[in-house]
């Protein structure tokens, strides 16, 4: 299997069900960017280095995801609008285990 | 009023290299940047990270690349207006442009090159209800003049290098420094963390972790902040303060340039690929800030765009002069400071 299904609710509340490749070394932030689910310049500002939190999302489904690394935990501790189910999209690499994952993009920090 | 040939908005790698290319054509440049230092994303987001795709540099730290660019453009003596955001633009009767910053500094040039990248870097402001009320009345997101805090009670919030560095610096200036962070761990340079620990042990820094500021109080100016410890007890501490400095990093915003009447697509300025001019003649957009079919946001592409832009700028400023591109190996580099660089000529000696 090379594609999985992911449900992403964008910042306007619109739900998108998309196919995400598992064989392209992509992370969730990059998937959101490739489907243009958030305007350019509002997501992935640090390029995926866990340094900006522009890719924060809330994990709605109960998938078991890889544990947070130190960088992700540190960034989320300084980000705004953080909830218990917050993750940084750029730190979630797309794998087959994520099939059916449901996430919601956190609001853009203004 | 600052007058120049090409006014460059944005001192990132693209804007800096444009100074060099303009200099070869004997055009003077002045740069405006919202950040207090040059270098754009390279300096602000990833100065210590290596870049691997700059031609001729198998590996170069982003900060080093900026230092090299600054060295390379030194002979062309660019002017800088740093720490100010270009806010408005006006076309004057003589066809030149007047660009004014948020601090009121005026710049005049026949050519404007927007090299604004992702936009001007603005502080990430914590979501505290009345924070805007206290801006410049006790709340500041950047420290410009540390002397302002002499003998004051200061609270700093954040867990990165800036929060650590300023806590250390102000420990010897302010009458009291409190550092509040949501975690016990800080993500800054190890020696800064150790220094804060040392200053805490000496009683020079009051460290409250894991904790967060939950409200700001005062009539006209800030008088106190309420800190909540993040623990089971959720203990609350009311701190009397003169100044609150949240240091949660910066985030880029296209900002006022978006209202200059330029054609915008997906948060970027539309340009042609002949010379990267916008829909307004005389205003160019180069580097990450522009868009055209096939655009790639890479440093290399910004350099290329800056080079082509300068050729057209030259023709607009000197419509009657013809310029023929010269290789620097052949023509050398003559700075405005009188310096010259050229390839050494081979010595021809007669053979008897
Ligand atoms: C983490 C990360 C890693 C990267 N790695 C690479 C890499 O390996 N290779 C590569 O080629 N590229 C890389 N990039 C992309 C590269 O950094 C950008 O392409 C490059 O910085 C663009 O340069 P620029 O000069 O066009 O814009 P920027 O570097 O964004 O500079 C723009 C400047 O304009 C200023 N500005 C904007 N608006 C205003 C205004 N109104 N008034 C005053 N100032 C203003 C901003 O403050 C900023 O300093 C990376 C980017 C990031 C974030
Ligand atoms: S893209 Fe910056 S933290 Fe994920």
């Amino acid at each position: 299997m090379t594609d999985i299904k992911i449900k992403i609710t964008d910042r306007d509340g619109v739900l998108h069900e998309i196919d995400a490749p598992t064989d392209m070394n992509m992370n969730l932030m990059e998937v959101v960017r490739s489907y243009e689910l958030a305007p350019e310049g509002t997501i992935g500002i640090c390029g995926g280095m866990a340094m900006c939190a522009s890719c924060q999302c809330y994990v709605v489904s109960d998938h078991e995801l890889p544990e947070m690394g130190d960088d992700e935990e540190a960034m989320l501790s300084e980000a705004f609008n953080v909830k218990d189910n917050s993750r940084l999209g750029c730190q979630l690499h797309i794998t087959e285990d994520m099939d059916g994952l449901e996430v919601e993009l956190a609001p853009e920090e203004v | 009023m600052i007058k120049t040939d090409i006014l460059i908005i944005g001192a990132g790698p693209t804007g800096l290299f444009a100074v060099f290319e303009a200099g070869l054509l004997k055009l003077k440049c002045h740069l405006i940047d919202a950040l207090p230092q040059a270098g754009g994303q390279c300096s602000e987001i990833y100065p210590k990270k290596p870049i691997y795709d700059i031609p001729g540099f198998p590996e170069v730290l982003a900060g080093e690349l900026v230092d090299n660019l600054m060295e390379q453009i030194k002979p062309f003596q660019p002017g800088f207006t740093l720490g100010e955001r270009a806010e408005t633009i006006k076309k004057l009767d003589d066809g030149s442009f007047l660009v004014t910053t948020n601090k009121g500094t005026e710049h005049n040039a026949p050519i404007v090159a927007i090299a604004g990248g992702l936009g001007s870097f603005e502080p990430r402001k914590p979501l505290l209800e009345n924070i805007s009320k206290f801006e410049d009345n006790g709340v500041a997101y950047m420290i410009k003049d540390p002397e302002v805090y002499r003998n004051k009670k200061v609270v700093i919030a954040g867990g990165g290098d800036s929060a650590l560095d300023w806590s250390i610096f102000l420990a010897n200036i302010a009458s009291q420094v409190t550092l509040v962070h949501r975690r016990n761990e800080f993500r800054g340079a190890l020696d800064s963390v150790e220094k804060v620990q040392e200053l805490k042990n000496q009683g020079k820094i009051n460290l409250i972790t894991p904790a967060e500021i939950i409200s700001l109080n005062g009539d006209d100016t800030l008088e106190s902040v309420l800190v909540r410890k993040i623990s089971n007890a959720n203990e609350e501490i009311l701190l009397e303060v003169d100044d609150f400095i949240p240091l949660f990093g910066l985030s880029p915003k296209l900002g006022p340039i978006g209202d200059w009447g330029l054609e915008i697509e997906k948060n970027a300025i539309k340009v042609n690929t002949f010379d990267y001019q916008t829909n307004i003649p005389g205003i160019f957009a180069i580097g990450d800030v522009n868009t055209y079919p096939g655009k790639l946001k890479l440093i290399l592409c910004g350099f290329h765009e800056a080079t082509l832009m300068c050729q057209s700028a030259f023709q607009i400023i000197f419509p009657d002069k013809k310029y023929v591109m010269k290789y620097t190996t052949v023509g050398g580099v003559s700075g405005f400071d009188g310096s010259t660089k050229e390839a050494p000529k081979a010595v021809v000696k007669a053979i008897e």
Side-chain angles (χ1 to χ4, degrees), chain B residues 4 35 86 108 114 127 141 158 175 178 204 218 231 233 239 298 305 344:
Chain B
T4 190
L35 293 172
N108 176 239
I114 303 173
L127 307 171
Y141 305 103
S175 61
T178 304
K204 288 191 166 174
S231 60
L239 285 176
L298 287 175
E305 294 164 15

Side-chain angles (χ1 to χ4, degrees), chain B residues 188-261:
Chain B
L190 189 61
D191 53 341
S192 310
V193 178
E194 283 169 357
K195 184 82 190 155
V196 167
Q197 178 72 54
E198 198 183 304
L199 288 164
K200 183 200 164 191
N201 296 345
Q202 293 168 9
K204 288 191 166 174
I205 289 180
N206 176 21
L207 193 64
I208 310 183
T209 60
E212 61 187 340
I213 308 286
I214 54 167
S215 72
L216 310 175
N217 315 300
D219 286 333
D220 294 327
T221 54
L222 185 68
E223 286 161 21
S224 64
V225 299
L226 191 62
V227 183
R228 181 163 60 205
K229 289 275 268 184
I230 304 171
S231 60
N232 291 339
N234 276 340
E235 179 197 343
E236 290 184 351
I237 308 163
L238 188 70
L239 285 176
E240 266 183 39
V241 299
D242 299 301
D243 294 280
F244 172 48
I245 311 171
L247 296 171
F248 294 113
L250 303 169
S251 175
K253 297 267 174 299
L254 189 57
I257 291 174
D259 306 324
W260 285 6

Side-chain angles (χ1 to χ4, degrees), chain A residues 29 44-55 88 90:
Chain A
M29 175 273 282
I45 290 166
C46 74
M49 297 202 302
M51 283 173 65
C52 71
S54 65
C55 63
L88 295 179
C90 68

Side-chain angles (χ1 to χ4, degrees), chain B residues 285-297:
Chain B
I286 51 176
D288 276 16
V289 80
N290 74 14
T291 183
Y292 51 83
K295 168 72 184 176
L296 280 182
K297 291 186 182 186

Side-chain angles (χ1 to χ4, degrees), chain B residues 24-316:
Chain B
L24 293 181
L25 304 177
K26 303 263 177 287
L27 300 175
K28 274 276 228 181
C29 294
H30 186 94
L31 301 103
I32 306 179
D33 206 297
L35 293 172
Q37 82 279 336
Q41 294 169 48
C42 290
S43 304
E44 187 53 40
I45 306 183
Y46 61 112
K48 297 273 174 345
K49 299 262 176 199
I51 307 177
Y52 303 104
D53 57 350
I54 304 295
F57 285 89
E59 184 177 335
V60 60
L61 297 185
E64 241 178 85
L65 176 69
V66 172
D67 291 345
N68 288 347
L69 284 165
M70 290 296 281
E71 182 63 29
Q72 192 173 19
I73 64 175
K74 218 193 228 162
F76 298 118
Q77 300 179 313
F80 286 94
T81 300
L82 293 177
E84 299 187 26
R85 188 180 59 216
E87 199 79 19
T88 60
I89 192 162
K90 200 172 130 191
K91 193 158 184 162
L92 303 181
D93 291 342
D94 65 356
S96 68
F97 296 96
L98 177 73
V99 173
T100 310
T101 68
N102 58 331
K103 301 246 176 80
T105 313
E106 294 186 330
H107 307 78
N108 176 239
I111 301 291
V112 172
I114 303 173
L118 303 172
S120 71
F121 281 88
E122 306 290 326
R124 292 174 61 230
K125 303 181 182 181
L127 307 171
L128 292 165
E129 213 181 300
N130 50 359
I131 193 157
S132 55
K133 172 178 145 184
F134 296 113
E135 284 170 8
D136 296 328
N137 274 321
V139 171
Y141 305 103
M142 279 185 211
I143 298 177
K144 285 170 200 135
D145 175 14
E147 276 306 313
V148 169
Y149 305 101
R150 186 162 292 279
N151 302 325
K152 298 275 186 63
K153 291 188 201 127
V154 181
V155 171
I156 293 176
D161 278 316
S162 321
L164 292 166
D165 293 347
W166 282 115
S167 299
I168 296 166
F169 196 88
L170 292 182
N172 288 321
I173 291 180
S175 61
Q176 189 186 82
V177 173
T178 304
L179 175 58
V180 179
H181 179 39
R182 299 199 75 223
R183 306 200 318 153
N184 294 323
E185 298 81 24
F186 287 82
R187 64 159 175 181
L190 189 61
D191 53 341
S192 310
V193 178
E194 283 169 357
K195 184 82 190 155
V196 167
Q197 178 72 54
E198 198 183 304
L199 288 164
K200 183 200 164 191
N201 296 345
Q202 293 168 9
K204 288 191 166 174
I205 289 180
N206 176 21
L207 193 64
I208 310 183
T209 60
E212 61 187 340
I213 308 286
I214 54 167
S215 72
L216 310 175
N217 315 300
D219 286 333
D220 294 327
T221 54
L222 185 68
E223 286 161 21
S224 64
V225 299
L226 191 62
V227 183
R228 181 163 60 205
K229 289 275 268 184
I230 304 171
S231 60
N232 291 339
N234 276 340
E235 179 197 343
E236 290 184 351
I237 308 163
L238 188 70
L239 285 176
E240 266 183 39
V241 299
D242 299 301
D243 294 280
F244 172 48
I245 311 171
L247 296 171
F248 294 113
L250 303 169
S251 175
K253 297 267 174 299
L254 189 57
I257 291 174
D259 306 324
W260 285 6
L262 299 161
E263 257 183 85
I264 306 273
E265 188 181 277
K266 293 187 188 157
N267 258 335
I269 302 170
K270 270 175 95 171
V271 290
N272 69 54
T273 46
F274 170 71
D275 59 1
Y276 305 99
Q277 204 158 175
T278 66
N279 59 314
I280 303 180
I283 304 185
F284 295 77
I286 51 176
D288 276 16
V289 80
N290 74 14
T291 183
Y292 51 83
K295 168 72 184 176
L296 280 182
K297 291 186 182 186
L298 287 175
I299 296 168
L300 162 87
C301 303
F303 289 168
H304 164 79
E305 294 164 15
T307 309
L308 296 200
M309 177 278 286
C310 287
Q311 302 291 320
S312 273
F314 179 86
Q315 282 309 308
I316 293 173

Side-chain angles (χ1 to χ4, degrees), chain A residues 94-106:
Chain A
I94 304 294
T95 61
E96 291 183 9
D97 299 343
M98 290 183 181
D99 193 28
L101 182 73
E102 290 179 46
V103 299
E104 209 181 295
L105 301 186

